[in-house]
Amino acid sequence: MQRYPVSMRHLPELTRLKAIEIANALLGEGMEEGRAIRIAIAKAKEWARRHPDPLAGAD
């Protein structure tokens, strides 16, 4: 969680964790790094829309 691409910095924490998980899986399948990161961010954002953070806004 300490090391992730700069392009993931703006993502909410849970979305970033999902993006890292997806990117690692894609890289494990041999996908090129830049493409894996772009796809992972897009898929993580889709995932986040379907799975809202129950703690978000709970101040």
Side-chain angles (χ1 to χ4, degrees):
M1 184 60 187
Q2 299 300 320
R3 295 179 58 213
Y4 50 85
V6 173
S7 57
M8 291 183 185
R9 184 182 315 164
H10 69 284
L11 297 173
E13 186 175 358
L14 287 177
T15 307
R16 184 171 52 240
L17 288 171
K18 191 65 170 177
I20 292 168
E21 176 185 328
I22 294 167
N24 284 334
L26 293 172
L27 290 170
E29 293 175 2
M31 185 175 287
E32 183 266 324
E33 184 176 343
R35 184 165 186 238
I37 291 168
R38 289 189 302 274
I39 290 170
I41 290 171
K43 293 294 184 183
K45 286 180 179 180
E46 287 177 21
W47 174 87
R49 282 191 289 276
R50 291 190 315 268
H51 300 88
D53 183 355
L55 300 178
D59 292 331

